[in-house]
Amino acid sequence: MKQNWKIRNPEESLVKELAARLSLDAKLVRLIVNRGYMTPEEINEFLNPHPSRMLNPFLLMGMRDAVTLARAALAEKKRIGVFADSDLDGLTSLTLLKYVLSKQSDIVPRFPVNAESYGLTTSVIDEFHAAGCALIITADSGTRDIREIAYARSLGIDVIVTDHHEPDELLPDAVIINPMQKECPYPYKHLSGVGVAFKFCLALLLSYLPSYDIIFLLLAETPSALAGVPVKNGLPLARKTFDSPARAAEYVSSIGAPVSIVCENASLKEKMSGGKVYTLSGLLPAGFHAAGKDIPLSGMSALLGLARSADKLDMFTAIFFEIQRISSPKILDFMSYALSLVSIGNIADIVPLRGENRVLTACGLTELGKTTHSGLAKILGPGRVDSKKIGWELAPLLNSPGRFGNAGLTADFFISGSVDVLDRIHKINEERKEIINESVENAELRYFGNKFVTASYEGIPEGMAGLIANRLLDSAQKPVIVLVSQPEEGIVKGSGRAGAGFEFLSVVKPMTELFERMGGHQQAFGFSIKQENVEVLLERVSKAMDLLDTAEPVVNIDMEIQKEDITKNFLTLMRLAEPFGRENEEPLLLMKNVPLDSFSRFGKNNLHGKF
């Protein structure tokens, strides 16, 4: 066995205990435990990624201010400029924002075109200003555009940043929605750009519901007292304890603002007086089969697909917020439309498919399976839609125009669904494949010891850098920097890629003064740099990596199996762990001493093999 192969061996007693408690196959449980889910509750949540398990968008720092600013602009019919990155994460964000905002105002969409640099620029801001935009909303960008946003503010333009990239210490003069901000209390930090845009759009739509900014006092009975939690916009405030219904009524009167009381059951409701008083089940939307029935919180939680909680008030709050969500047809229609775009952006941007991203992606793939978007339906074809179909087929195809500076074609495709536009995208995609294959085959790699490699190109589209870096990373098995220069420009565009677990961005961050622009994620970042600074950068990266542990990465194998284990039932079990992607990779299985009956080549230039 290779030295860097490691078979994961979770405690057999734990696997057996969890399999018995959850009535699941031990092989499936072993796979899930290997991914770090160790309790019945965690495994149940992993296997049931329900929309009700999404986090409240108002937990994001800046969300309330952003909603207020956007509503003011929409109320006055002010023109809004939306600027997005040109990759699929950015373009799905743009599509989503346009879908929501254009119902009330005129939207001016913009993204980098041709050889324009990444991020918001002063020339783009001048375009927005000339078009009469009073508000700019960035998508999948903006966190590092400090100078440019200061320029927009000097022109009297308000700015909302929706982004997920790692911020610097200094932030722009804007309302910022980014879970990566240090002070942001949002429990999940790894949303994609379109995930953040989705949260903003959802919060904006929720703000138009009659329940927005109304305080609801949720009251539940305990053996010794009444337990209460005031809730505003789905967010719980400080908990309260009352020794009688009369004390609860006194508290409501003391707030000095409209308060509605929601009681755990009908018997408690009868004891309350004054104001608007409801039972929790009485709030269920008309037609819901349990509407009006007095059922316990645990039963209501199961009915709505929520995770059970040992804390009664936590469970009450989650049920209440879910009822608010499903009671609005507009919210449900929006989520059906939006989640398909979120799943595409999540998979294309290779965000971790754990936690909330797993929920968003799984729900989005379900929506994609029944899409009415004619273009997406043609790409996906009949049958089940999974993460591999998005990551290997749809995402490379729709990203192709942006690689050539023509992201508008993909934006048109998302908005119009035109099959004619799709045909044009297919032609561009074939050209992309030829350039990538030729560039990888002819790559002249420069090795910096065993630490990282670089490859330099001249004259190819700058958008190819990241794709080439990904391919070279696969073959070199070490961090890669790809550099692309254009004749006579003097500016080099670059892309850095590294395998999971290696924080490449942290290596180059201290060298910020060398870059014209730089941003991205730990394992995937882009930059532009003057030609004369390239060698300085590479030397400094080499010295910085001398101080790091660059040992061969471990290949974690989920389990060893025998040939007879591979049955339809086994494959069905493995699919229960989908969607697969970063931090929830496809199962890696080991079979020893397997004789090969045959081997055949296939694909373009016979570069693929099947045995």
Side-chain angles (χ1 to χ4, degrees):
M1 183 182 292
K2 289 186 178 181
Q3 197 171 7
N4 60 342
W5 286 11
K6 180 181 178 183
I7 300 177
R8 291 166 160 168
N9 286 309
E11 238 180 86
E12 196 61 30
S13 59
L14 174 65
V15 171
K16 287 181 178 178
E17 179 190 345
L18 290 169
R21 285 188 62 179
L22 296 166
S23 300
L24 293 172
D25 186 280
K27 289 186 179 69
L28 176 61
V29 172
R30 183 174 286 106
L31 180 72
I32 298 171
V33 169
N34 283 345
R35 279 143 178 73
Y37 302 89
M38 310 297 285
T39 67
E41 293 77 20
E42 289 173 348
I43 292 174
N44 183 55
E45 192 164 330
F46 177 87
L47 290 172
N48 297 282
H50 191 274
S52 60
R53 292 174 183 177
M54 296 175 193
L55 297 168
N56 189 320
F58 288 101
L59 286 168
L60 282 158
M61 187 168 76
M63 184 62 80
R64 185 177 175 81
D65 290 340
V67 166
T68 301
L69 193 56
R71 283 192 57 163
L74 292 169
E76 297 178 24
K77 303 293 182 185
K78 291 181 178 178
R79 185 168 283 183
I80 299 173
V82 177
F83 180 82
D85 191 13
S86 58
D87 65 3
L88 273 193
D89 193 20
L91 295 178
T92 49
S93 303
L94 175 81
T95 306
L96 199 49
L97 288 163
K98 190 173 188 302
Y99 174 81
V100 171
L101 300 172
S102 62
K103 297 179 188 301
Q104 297 186 63
S105 190
D106 188 23
I107 305 303
V108 180
R110 190 62 161 83
F111 35 79
V113 294
N114 300 322
E116 287 183 335
S117 63
Y118 166 85
L120 193 61
T121 63
T122 54
S123 60
V124 169
I125 291 168
D126 284 335
E127 288 180 28
F128 283 141
H129 186 243
C133 295
L135 172 65
I136 295 172
I137 302 176
T138 71
D140 191 31
S141 61
T143 298
R144 291 171 175 262
D145 297 330
I146 297 169
R147 183 178 63 86
E148 293 78 8
I149 289 174
Y151 177 62
R153 300 289 293 120
S154 74
L155 297 175
I157 302 174
D158 292 319
V159 181
I160 296 171
V161 169
T162 73
D163 197 4
H164 70 134
H165 293 97
E166 295 195 33
D168 285 326
E169 291 298 320
L170 190 62
L171 294 173
D173 179 18
V175 176
I176 302 171
I177 308 170
N178 184 339
M180 297 298 287
Q181 292 181 89
K182 287 181 181 177
E183 298 81 11
C184 182
Y186 200 73
Y188 188 74
K189 300 296 183 183
H190 306 293
L191 293 173
S192 62
V194 69
V196 178
F198 165 74
K199 290 290 178 177
F200 168 66
C201 291
L202 179 58
L204 182 62
L205 292 175
L206 288 170
S207 77
Y208 288 100
L209 295 181
S211 58
Y212 185 65
D213 270 356
I214 299 295
I215 296 175
F216 290 85
L217 177 63
L218 311 184
L219 276 180
E221 293 179 304
T222 68
S224 58
L226 290 179
V229 57
V231 173
K232 187 175 181 180
N233 300 329
L235 299 178
L237 308 177
R239 293 186 174 192
K240 304 292 178 182
T241 302
F242 309 104
D243 57 15
S244 68
R247 292 295 187 194
E250 288 175 11
Y251 167 74
V252 169
S253 300
S254 71
I255 291 176
V259 178
S260 293
I261 301 171
V262 182
C263 297
E264 175 188 2
N265 51 46
S267 63
L268 180 56
K269 178 188 175 186
E270 290 173 3
K271 299 172 187 175
M272 298 303 301
S273 60
K276 297 180 179 179
V277 184
Y278 309 91
T279 61
L280 186 61
S281 59
L283 295 177
L284 283 166
F288 208 90
H289 74 276
K293 292 182 181 178
D294 206 9
I295 57 178
L297 291 178
S298 58
M300 185 78 79
S301 180
L303 191 67
L304 296 173
L306 292 161
R308 289 282 298 273
S309 173
D311 187 292
K312 195 171 189 179
L313 288 181
D314 279 349
M315 192 187 307
F316 201 157
T317 304
I319 293 168
F320 177 69
F321 188 67
E322 177 63 5
I323 289 175
Q324 285 188 310
R325 184 185 72 83
I326 65 174
S327 296
S328 169
K330 287 184 178 180
I331 298 293
L332 292 178
D333 287 346
F334 162 75
M335 291 188 68
S336 177
Y337 171 83
L339 286 173
S340 60
L341 294 174
V342 175
S343 67
I344 292 171
N346 280 357
I347 294 168
D349 216 51
I350 320 178
V351 295
L353 294 188
R354 297 176 69 91
E356 189 174 24
N357 278 344
R358 176 173 172 80
V359 175
L360 293 167
T361 306
C363 294
L365 290 173
T366 300
E367 295 297 336
L368 277 174
K370 53 189 178 183
T371 183
T372 57
H373 188 285
S374 56
L376 289 174
K378 184 171 182 180
I379 296 172
L380 298 170
R384 191 171 57 90
V385 179
D386 58 21
S387 53
K388 180 175 281 188
K389 188 169 281 191
I390 303 301
W392 288 73
E393 297 177 28
L394 184 144
L397 173 67
L398 296 182
N399 256 328
S400 293
R403 308 291 183 189
F404 290 87
N406 191 11
L409 205 56
T410 303
D412 288 346
F413 169 80
F414 277 124
I415 293 166
S416 70
S418 168
V419 175
D420 291 338
V421 172
L422 180 58
D423 290 340
R424 292 169 62 192
I425 293 174
H426 272 295
K427 291 177 183 177
I428 292 173
N429 190 45
E430 290 305 311
E431 186 179 351
R432 172 194 68 84
K433 290 179 182 177
E434 289 179 10
I435 292 174
I436 296 299
N437 288 336
E438 185 178 330
S439 298
V440 171
E441 287 172 15
N442 299 327
E444 295 182 4
L445 298 182
R446 180 181 173 188
Y447 286 80
F448 286 76
N450 196 38
K451 296 169 287 190
F452 71 103
V453 300
T454 67
S456 300
Y457 299 89
E458 187 175 293
I460 67 171
E462 294 159 355
M464 301 291 135
L467 298 177
I468 296 170
N470 283 333
R471 289 275 293 274
L472 294 178
L473 173 65
D474 290 339
S475 58
Q477 289 296 298
K478 49 178 56 67
V480 175
I481 292 177
V482 168
L483 302 162
V484 177
S485 59
Q486 303 299 334
E488 302 178 1
E489 275 194 7
I491 296 291
V492 175
K493 302 291 177 67
S495 185
R497 293 292 186 272
F502 183 71
E503 298 189 347
F504 205 5
L505 182 62
S506 294
V507 173
V508 300
K509 252 188 173 182
M511 308 162 199
T512 305
E513 79 282 358
L514 294 175
F515 299 107
E516 300 301 299
R517 300 184 78 90
M518 189 267 288
H521 310 284
Q522 287 296 351
Q523 285 83 40
F525 60 88
F527 60 88
S528 59
I529 186 170
K530 289 180 179 177
Q531 182 70 59
E532 59 263 31
N533 287 334
V534 169
E535 281 303 314
V536 180
L537 170 68
L538 298 180
E539 288 173 15
R540 286 181 60 178
V541 170
S542 180
K543 288 178 181 177
M545 291 183 71
D546 280 337
L547 306 176
L548 302 175
D549 178 10
T550 54
E552 287 291 320
V554 172
V555 176
N556 288 304
I557 297 169
D558 282 300
M559 66 188 87
E560 184 177 346
I561 61 170
Q562 306 303 317
K563 186 168 67 173
E564 53 269 23
D565 290 326
I566 304 178
T567 63
K568 284 186 177 180
N569 182 58
F570 177 77
L571 296 176
T572 300
L573 282 173
M574 295 298 101
R575 287 195 192 104
L576 292 175
E578 288 186 351
F580 298 122
R582 181 178 160 201
E583 296 188 17
N584 184 41
E585 287 77 13
E586 285 188 287
L588 187 57
L589 310 172
L590 173 67
M591 283 197 297
K592 293 179 182 177
N593 304 316
V594 180
L596 297 184
D597 292 332
S598 64
F599 180 84
S600 60
R601 293 178 178 273
F602 67 95
K604 190 170 182 179
N605 299 323
N606 285 322
L607 291 175
H608 300 274
K610 180 171 68 172
F611 54 82

